[in-house]
């Protein structure tokens, strides 16, 4: 392990994996509880448009992704508040248009065209130190906001109507949660890419939910599981020279299947 | 009895569709009001307007001093996220959260109060059970406990007996009988029968309020509300409430 960590790119990869696991462990349980997985898919693909434009403008891709995803999150939040019941429609449109904008602007970028596959599947091994700094700031924002607004987020995830009756600022809390999800997605894109973001938001939560039925514990377990999955996946991909993002996700999927099988086996042995 | 909530000429709805039109209603101290009417008639919307969940397009809702922030709400059990991983005790504690305190730490007092209310509702051995593991009747009691933990002056219940078996319905009615001396109670329901011996006033709602009072409900009024012939049967309902309809032969 010491040998692996002597490389700077591996140190960066390790830091990115831990930061991504913290945010997805914090936000993932809310995304799953509020059934926002489809929104997360839409937001992650919208990010592709921002990445493409940022490349074309010659600025850091992560800035373009943050701007696009935040704009999409606020737009979806306002649609939901107006109760137009068209969220699914607009998520689908944002999903497709985001990817199309990304492809067009990458095509328009003069000179060396960046590898589209690296956006789609991510490459944790190429995360630069500056992006680690940006990710750290995003993680601080997500951790701080969840710590302050935790009770409000739980209230809207459990029973939005009751939260309104208790005069909670439901629109603000919902938009805040969507914006945090957007920031989490931007952080995760660095690690596993656009296509696999949803997996890292949901698989650690699914594993944690097999182990506990307490929301607070599920958050803690999701963070721990995310770190385990990322580090294990990273070392497997390094050892057998597999693509890192895909290997991390497959490691998570395997761990989830193992936990489910073990739990079923344990329940059969002690039915009471 | 002092009037604590006054609904005056309220019109409201969703999108461009008006669900309530020109509805006026009063709720008094220690009142027990049943709101009945057909599906889509605006029963739940009236509750939501009083609770501030939907905003009236016109008209106004006024509260006596100190009542506006002492409203307890028991929504239909199908409306909340039943798969959310939370214990009965923690669910009840969320009833202490309000717009002006949700950023603060949960107080020890609110935890003790939640335990005490669950004990009073015979759920002391279910404190740490997940809500997904509770029966329909137990879950309904948890929802009532969540509404009671903030010490409401008025308790609103939306279809509380739906999906409850007869035993759980009886338990619920016993709970409401115990509460009616301490607070006003407003129940939205399709079936007034279980409440026949405890309610004080009835409101028949189908966009407009057709009847609001006690002792004069007859099948003619109900025919207007439901828009079809109605024959009243006296199972369990005091007979004084059920004068025979002049055209009782109509089906």
């Amino acid at each position: 392990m010491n040998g692996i960590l002597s490389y700077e790119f591996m140190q960066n990869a390790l830091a990115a994996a831990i930061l991504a696991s913290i945010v997805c462990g914090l936000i993932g349980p809310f995304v799953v509880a509020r059934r926002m997985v489809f929104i997360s898919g839409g937001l992650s693909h919208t990010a592709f448009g921002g990445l493409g434009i940022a490349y074309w403008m010659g600025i850091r891709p992560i800035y373009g992704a943050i701007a696009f995803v935040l704009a999409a999150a606020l737009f979806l939040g306002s649609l939901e508040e107006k109760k137009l019941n068209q969220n699914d429609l607009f998520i689908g449109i944002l999903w497709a248009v985001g990817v199309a904008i990304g492809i067009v602007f990458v095509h328009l970028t003069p000179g060396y065209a960046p590898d589209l596959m690296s956006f789609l599947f991510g490459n944790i091994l190429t995360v630069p130190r500056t992006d680690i700094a940006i990710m750290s700031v995003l993680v601080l924002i997500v951790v701080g906001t969840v710590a302050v607004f935790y009770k409000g987020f739980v209230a809207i995830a459990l029973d939005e109507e009751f939260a309104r009756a208790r005069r909670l600022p439901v629109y603000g809390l919902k938009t805040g949660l969507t914006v945090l999800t957007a920031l989490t997605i931007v952080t995760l894109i660095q690690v596993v890419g656009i296509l696999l973001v949803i997996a890292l938001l949901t698989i650690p939560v699914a594993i944690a939910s097999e182990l506990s039925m307490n929301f607070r514990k599920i958050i803690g377990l999701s963070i721990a599981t995310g770190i385990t999955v990322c580090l294990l996946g990273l070392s497997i991909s390094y050892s057998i020279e597999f693509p890192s993002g895909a290997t991390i996700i497959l490691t998570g999927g395997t761990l989830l299947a193992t936990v489910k099988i073990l739990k079923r086996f344990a329940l059969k042995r002690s039915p009471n | 009895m002092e009037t604590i909530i006054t609904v005056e000429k309220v019109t409201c709805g969703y999108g461009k569709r008006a669900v309530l039109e020109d509805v006026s209603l009063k709720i008094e101290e220690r009142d027990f009001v049943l709101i009945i009417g057909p599906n889509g008639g605006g029963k739940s919307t009236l509750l939501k307007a009083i609770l501030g969940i939907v905003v009236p397009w016109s008209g106004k809702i006024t509260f006596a001093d100190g009542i506006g922030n002492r409203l307890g709400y028991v929504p239909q059990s199908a409306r909340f996220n039943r798969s959310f991983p939370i214990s009965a005790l923690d669910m009840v504690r969320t009833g202490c959260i309000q717009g002006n305190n949700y950023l603060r730490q949960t107080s020890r007092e609110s935890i003790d109060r939640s335990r005490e209310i669950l004990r009073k509702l015979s759920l002391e051995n279910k404190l740490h059970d997940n809500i997904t593991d509770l029966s329909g009747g137990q879950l309904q009691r948890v929802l009532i406990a969540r509404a009671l933990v903030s010490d409401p002056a008025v308790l609103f219940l939306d279809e509380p007996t739906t999906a409850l078996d007869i035993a759980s319905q009886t338990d619920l009615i016993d709970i409401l009988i115990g509460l009616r001396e301490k607070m006003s109670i407003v129940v939205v329901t399709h079936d007034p029968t279980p409440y026949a011996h405890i309610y004080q006033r009835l409101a028949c709602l189908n966009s407009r309020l057709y009847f609001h009072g006690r002792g004069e409900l007859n099948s003619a009024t109900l025919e207007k509300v439901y828009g079809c012939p109605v024959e009243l049967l006296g199972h369990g309902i005091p007979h004084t409430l059920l004068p025979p309809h002049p055209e009782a032969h109509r089906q």
Side-chain angles (χ1 to χ4, degrees), chain A residues 29-30 32-35 83 148-155 157-162 164-169 173 212-216 218, chain B residues 48 51-53 68 71 73 75 79-81 83-86 90-91 94-99 101-106 130-132 146 150:
Chain A
F30 288 106
V32 173
R34 279 192 45 79
R35 299 180 174 90
K83 299 196 185 308
V148 172
F149 294 96
Y150 178 80
K151 276 166 47 177
F153 289 152
V154 167
L158 174 64
D159 191 343
E160 191 179 312
E161 200 171 276
F162 186 77
R164 283 185 198 277
R166 302 295 297 161
R167 306 280 199 270
L168 263 70
L173 288 166
S212 175
M213 283 300 281
N214 176 300
F215 194 71
R216 220 176 259 270
I218 286 176
Chain B
K48 288 179 189 175
L51 289 160
I53 298 170
L71 307 177
Y73 179 41
R79 291 237 184 88
F80 74 94
N81 183 357
S83 60
F84 193 88
I86 191 168
D90 286 343
M91 175 97 175
T94 63
C96 301
I97 301 173
Q98 221 169 352
N101 70 4
Y102 76 102
L103 296 177
R104 287 185 226 138
Q105 283 281 332
T106 310
N130 198 275
I131 56 167
T132 51
R146 182 180 65 164
S150 59

Side-chain angles (χ1 to χ4, degrees), chain B residues 10 15 26 33 72 79 123 189 201 222:
Chain B
V10 163
K26 284 182 178 170
V33 182
R79 291 237 184 88
L123 286 168
T189 182
R201 289 186 301 137
L222 286 176

Side-chain angles (χ1 to χ4, degrees), chain B residues 8 56 113 172 248:
Chain B
E8 282 177 272
R113 205 164 58 234
L172 175 72

Side-chain angles (χ1 to χ4, degrees), chain B residues 107-170:
Chain B
S107 67
R108 183 74 230 172
E109 185 207 344
S110 73
I111 299 172
D112 293 343
R113 205 164 58 234
S114 303
R115 280 178 187 274
E116 177 61 18
I117 289 173
L118 282 168
R119 191 188 60 74
K120 281 182 182 165
L121 297 180
S122 312
L123 286 168
E124 62 270 32
N125 56 346
K126 298 286 177 188
L127 293 181
H128 303 292
D129 282 22
N130 198 275
I131 56 167
T132 51
D133 298 330
L134 300 178
S135 70
Q138 289 166 341
L139 188 59
Q140 192 62 266
R141 276 185 278 159
V142 168
L143 293 178
I144 292 172
R146 182 180 65 164
L148 293 178
V149 75
S150 59
D151 187 26
V154 189
L155 181 64
F156 296 89
L157 301 99
D158 195 351
E159 302 281 6
T161 47
T162 306
L164 292 189
D165 59 25
I166 297 295
S168 302
Q169 280 189 20
T170 309

